[in-house]
Amino acid sequence: MWSRYPRRSGLVACGVEELRRRRREREAALRKARREQQLVSKRLLREEAPEEARGECVAAVLGEAEVQQFLRLAQRGTEEKEREKALVSLRQGLQHPETQQIFIRLEGSMRTLVGLLTSNRALLQLEAARCLHELSHSEQSAVAEACLPATSYLLTYLSGHSSDFIELCLYTLGNLIVESEVVRRQLLPQGIVPALAACIQSPHVAVLEALGYALSQLLQAKEAPEKIIPSILDSLLPQHMLRLMQPGPKLNPGVAVEFAWCLHYIICSQVNNTLLITHGALSTLGMLLLDLAGAVQRTEEAGLELLACPVLRCLSNLLTEVAVEAMGGQMQLKDERIVAALFILFQFFLQKQPSLLPEGLWLLNNLTANSPTLCTSLLSLDLIEPLLQLLPLSNVVSVLVLTVLCNVAEKGPAYCRQLWPGPLLSCLLKTLALSDTEVVGQSLELLQLLFLYQPEAVQAFLQQSGLQALERHQEEAQLQDRVHALQQIALHG
């Protein structure tokens, strides 16, 4: 097919392979950066009394004598109401870091609190658990480690009957998990993974959300790939997580958000993504993406972007797995509806959450990198111009848009003929005028592909003062080779 242009055949082979190599290296770096972006946080589950909610009662910092007094009353008070009131006062005081430090330094304080937690009085148990929850929210690892005597009981209570109590225990465990490796080392042999796996069949939405939170905290631990995720993958948790993310009338957005992030952390660990693909992760995520696109067209409801972010990341990272192609998994995402759905979400992100545009473009890049079918969809659905309209938004967005266009151009002459002529040249001249090396470098790669596959583009480029645009960058070390190659093609054919 290249006999008409024999002088270019070597350049074509070399140029395309070099572009592919550079793109693979850059995408590997981007994937690594995305894997390292985690959402470590703590949550506070606090049910205030009416007077607290109205601001009539402001919790004060407690001194050592007051902490001792409330613990003594809670343990030995003559009436249950008096004991409960003492624990409420202690809990309010534990909202302050100063009181927390006093409490953990006080001999026997945690033993007393654990004794109340394990008592046969439901109201005292609940208030003791709330005190532990306040302690778990501390940012000091010493406070979290002081709670170690309580962890085995918190795990035991996950199999209880009160959904409110289970929810409280899950959020407390989640907070403790993230703060200290010492806590995690104790929880693993105590059976936290089986305990969490048992909770995932709860019919209560609040419990499922709390479970997703605790599990996501566990999955973000630095030792998770070696010590935690393998046992999670061996459990029934992944299948149930995917079940809870299935689109349909039973889908709860809050639950789906929590487990989408859990799935993201598992995928980023790369422990066994083949197993997730076998369980239908690609299909579930693809259908969820289509469902999200439909939802943003139907409603103005806030919060949809919270689910979109982890779903986009999960799909993007799974598509980089060799196993996807080997198992035919990518076929599940070759429907042009996926591409159309992404552009619906792009419009939504522009209005509501522009920071999510790079996530969607990263997925579009991974979808089109090895799929002529989806590149054809971009062209047949007339989506190139809407894609070009995103270029001015930011340098990060520009690089990703240009990378997607490179994916299309790389597929050969038939694809380049549909890219050119059109608004692409004027857009490339604008990006070449920028100072960002990465944007300019990606623009040069796209130009090189167009020159190699669509010779008419060279003459149009020259007529638009393209050589002057190239000359601006010929002294930049990172761009010199590519600028020189383009100059040679433009001047000598």
Side-chain angles (χ1 to χ4, degrees):
M1 72 188 291
W2 292 103
S3 57
R4 290 173 57 203
Y5 307 101
R7 293 173 59 191
R8 296 185 186 186
S9 58
L11 283 171
V12 169
C14 177
V16 172
E17 286 306 312
E18 176 63 15
L19 293 176
R20 285 174 178 160
R21 182 190 65 77
R22 283 202 292 263
R23 194 170 304 125
R24 281 195 298 270
E25 289 176 356
R26 183 169 56 255
E27 288 175 358
L30 282 168
R31 283 197 298 277
K32 182 175 184 293
R34 275 174 163 72
R35 288 189 187 106
E36 291 171 354
Q37 291 173 5
Q38 299 184 325
L39 297 178
V40 174
S41 62
K42 288 193 173 189
R43 295 188 194 172
L44 190 59
L45 194 68
R46 188 179 286 165
E47 292 185 9
E48 298 175 327
E51 61 272 16
E52 292 178 83
R54 291 193 300 268
E56 297 172 7
C57 178
V58 179
V61 176
L62 301 180
E64 184 175 319
E66 291 169 302
V67 171
Q68 287 178 319
Q69 179 189 3
F70 288 136
L71 282 171
R72 187 166 52 252
L73 282 171
Q75 188 179 30
R76 300 173 186 166
T78 55
E79 295 182 10
E80 186 168 340
K81 199 71 179 173
E82 180 186 29
R83 298 173 71 186
E84 183 190 349
K85 185 177 178 181
L87 275 176
V88 170
S89 299
L90 177 62
R91 169 176 59 82
Q92 292 169 349
L94 288 172
Q95 294 172 17
H96 297 282
E98 300 90 335
T99 306
Q100 293 172 357
Q101 291 297 323
I102 290 170
F103 179 87
I104 66 170
R105 286 197 301 265
L106 196 61
E107 186 178 353
S109 59
M110 186 57 68
R111 184 169 60 252
T112 301
L113 194 58
V114 170
L116 292 163
L117 178 70
T118 57
S119 71
N120 58 1
R121 305 281 186 175
L123 290 175
L124 293 179
Q125 273 189 310
L126 181 60
E127 281 305 327
R130 286 174 174 165
C131 287
L132 280 167
H133 185 66
E134 292 292 346
L135 289 167
S136 77
H137 200 253
S138 169
E139 295 180 0
Q140 300 296 320
S141 58
V143 177
E145 288 167 18
C147 297
L148 281 172
T151 57
S152 62
Y153 300 106
L154 292 172
L155 286 177
T156 300
Y157 292 142
L158 295 184
S159 58
H161 300 294
S162 167
S163 60
D164 289 342
F165 198 56
I166 293 170
E167 179 191 9
L168 181 61
C169 290
L170 284 167
Y171 278 117
T172 303
L173 285 165
N175 289 343
L176 293 173
I177 284 165
V178 76
E179 192 57 55
S180 170
E181 186 176 352
V182 175
V183 173
R184 295 193 295 272
R185 279 204 305 267
Q186 176 161 306
L187 284 168
L188 287 171
Q190 285 178 344
I192 188 169
V193 173
L196 295 179
C199 288
I200 203 166
Q201 298 192 57
S202 170
H204 302 286
V205 169
V207 169
L208 292 173
E209 284 195 42
L211 169 62
Y213 165 71
L215 187 58
S216 70
Q217 301 295 71
L218 193 62
L219 289 167
Q220 291 179 82
K222 61 183 179 183
E223 69 274 14
E226 296 80 27
K227 298 180 180 178
I228 298 168
I229 291 176
S231 59
I232 286 174
L233 290 173
D234 286 340
S235 73
L236 293 175
L237 277 166
Q239 294 99 306
H240 284 294
M241 284 162 54
L242 290 168
R243 171 181 60 80
L244 292 166
M245 293 167 62
Q246 288 279 355
K250 293 183 178 180
L251 178 74
N252 180 276
V255 173
V257 167
E258 298 294 351
F259 287 114
W261 280 114
C262 290
L263 193 62
H264 168 66
Y265 299 131
I266 294 173
I267 291 168
C268 286
S269 75
Q270 297 183 297
V271 171
N272 189 356
N273 286 341
T274 302
L275 180 67
L276 295 175
I277 294 168
T278 303
H279 288 325
L282 276 171
S283 177
T284 297
L285 291 163
M287 293 303 293
L288 192 51
L289 188 73
L290 295 177
D291 196 60
L292 276 170
V296 301
Q297 290 180 301
R298 292 191 302 270
T299 179
E300 291 291 321
E301 183 182 343
L304 288 170
E305 70 279 3
L306 297 177
L307 181 54
C309 184
V311 169
L312 290 168
R313 287 191 181 190
C314 286
L315 278 169
S316 296
N317 286 324
L318 275 183
L319 284 171
T320 64
E321 293 292 321
V322 175
V324 175
E325 292 193 24
M327 300 170 66
Q330 201 169 10
M331 292 301 296
Q332 300 170 54
L333 297 174
K334 285 191 174 178
D335 190 325
E336 67 178 21
R337 289 180 303 162
I338 289 287
V339 175
L342 274 176
F343 277 80
I344 291 169
L345 290 172
F346 290 162
Q347 289 302 311
F348 175 74
F349 296 156
L350 275 171
Q351 297 168 15
K352 303 287 186 181
Q353 196 77 34
S355 62
L356 288 181
L357 275 169
E359 302 291 350
L361 287 166
W362 177 244
L363 174 56
L364 185 60
N365 168 56
N366 287 356
L367 285 167
T368 54
N370 298 303
S371 175
T373 302
L374 292 180
C375 288
T376 299
S377 297
L378 271 179
L379 296 166
S380 63
L381 295 173
D382 294 324
L383 295 174
I384 298 300
E385 195 159 344
L387 195 59
L388 291 173
Q389 289 170 3
L390 301 177
L391 279 172
L393 293 175
S394 72
N395 290 336
V396 172
V397 168
S398 293
V399 169
L400 288 165
V401 168
L402 292 164
T403 305
V404 171
L405 292 169
C406 282
N407 291 341
V408 178
E410 188 188 43
K411 302 300 181 289
Y415 291 83
C416 287
R417 276 196 295 273
Q418 295 185 68
L419 288 175
W420 197 285
L424 184 55
L425 175 57
S426 60
C427 289
L428 283 174
L429 289 170
K430 289 176 183 175
T431 57
L432 285 173
L434 299 175
S435 58
D436 186 86
T437 303
E438 206 171 351
V439 175
V440 174
Q442 201 62 44
S443 304
L444 295 174
E445 289 192 15
L446 181 53
L447 270 174
Q448 189 172 358
L449 285 166
L450 289 167
F451 285 3
L452 295 173
Y453 286 134
Q454 186 71 5
E456 295 85 349
V458 177
Q459 193 59 37
F461 183 73
L462 292 172
Q463 290 172 355
Q464 296 288 329
S465 304
L467 281 179
Q468 289 91 318
L470 292 178
E471 286 169 3
R472 294 192 192 99
H473 305 286
Q474 62 186 4
E475 300 302 323
E476 296 175 40
Q478 296 180 40
L479 303 174
Q480 280 178 341
D481 291 345
R482 279 174 279 180
V483 169
H484 179 69
L486 282 168
Q487 288 172 330
Q488 290 301 305
I489 295 173
L491 292 172
H492 306 296

